[in-house]
Amino acid sequence: KIVIPEMQREYVWDYVQASRLIESILMGLPLPSIFLIKSDEGTIVVDGLQRLTTIHCFRYNKALPSSTNKSEFRLYGVDDQFKNKTYDKLDGDEKEKFDLGTINVIEFKQNKPEFEEAMYTLFERLNSGGTPLSSQQIRNSIFYSEFSKKLNEVSQEKIGKYFNDKAKKA
């Protein structure tokens, strides 16, 4: 039994976010871990509810909870080979990739009665500890080439002349 605690937000992903998760599974890309806590009430979702809900809706041809259109979840905003597909429309190889795709699940068992404290601490640390990448950092990673490497080298040489250390990090 999976329990969704009150601290969890409602489903907020849009069709593109949800579709890209499913596309990642179909491409064999690794997914972030799901974090659960085992309690007397059942298995509590601490982190990963959006992913679990998306996978469930796709697999069982259900509409996404955030959708105003209550028809089955079709992939949108993805590579043409997956566009508009539902689970039932996947070919044999694609279904096998989806069904056999893996996602790490980390399950904790809190032995003290105050398991909620650990749950809140874990949730807070998972969702507030990182620094998001800037748009430029993402572009640098996606479009990396010898040209971009050389461009970065030249810019680093010149940037020291015109900007302070704080501006260089931005």
Side-chain angles (χ1 to χ4, degrees):
K1 178 181 173 188
I2 292 182
V3 178
I4 300 169
E6 289 183 24
M7 68 174 204
Q8 285 286 356
R9 62 185 174 177
E10 297 295 318
Y11 188 83
V12 296
W13 279 12
D14 63 30
Y15 260 90
V16 174
Q17 290 170 301
S19 295
R20 288 180 56 103
L21 176 76
I22 301 303
E23 180 184 39
S24 294
I25 295 170
L26 295 171
M27 293 170 65
L29 298 176
L31 302 178
S33 298
I34 304 285
F35 288 85
L36 308 171
I37 288 186
K38 192 82 165 159
S39 77
D40 294 337
E41 301 167 22
T43 302
I44 299 172
V45 179
V46 178
D47 189 68
L49 183 60
Q50 306 294 310
R51 284 169 274 149
L52 287 172
T53 303
T54 298
I55 291 166
H56 177 81
C57 288
F58 185 75
R59 173 59 185 88
Y60 295 102
N61 297 305
K62 296 183 177 197
L64 292 173
S66 61
S67 174
T68 53
N69 178 359
K70 294 302 176 192
S71 64
E72 60 198 3
F73 170 25
R74 295 177 177 277
L75 300 181
Y76 174 79
V78 295
D79 190 76
D80 286 344
Q81 69 179 357
F82 302 124
K83 200 175 289 181
N84 289 318
K85 287 195 176 181
T86 62
Y87 177 81
D88 289 340
K89 300 253 166 101
L90 295 176
D91 67 32
D93 288 341
E94 292 168 339
K95 264 189 188 165
E96 186 174 354
K97 268 194 170 177
F98 182 84
D99 290 342
L100 298 178
T102 59
I103 185 166
N104 292 323
V105 175
I106 299 170
E107 185 176 63
F108 295 89
K109 172 93 170 122
Q110 185 73 24
N111 294 326
K112 293 182 182 180
E114 310 87 33
F115 79 90
E116 288 183 349
E117 182 181 327
M119 176 175 68
Y120 296 132
T121 300
L122 177 61
F123 180 85
E124 186 267 333
R125 288 182 182 237
L126 287 171
N127 291 290
S128 65
T131 302
L133 293 169
S134 70
S135 296
Q136 185 59 47
Q137 289 167 327
I138 292 170
R139 283 191 295 276
N140 286 345
S141 296
I142 293 172
F143 301 111
Y144 186 78
S145 66
E146 284 302 315
F147 174 75
S148 60
K149 181 179 174 182
K150 187 66 176 168
L151 189 61
N152 285 332
E153 287 172 6
V154 170
S155 67
Q156 290 302 316
E157 292 170 11
K158 303 289 182 191
I159 200 167
K161 292 180 181 180
Y162 304 106
F163 297 99
N164 64 24
D165 287 340
K166 185 177 179 182
K168 289 179 199 175
K169 291 180 182 177

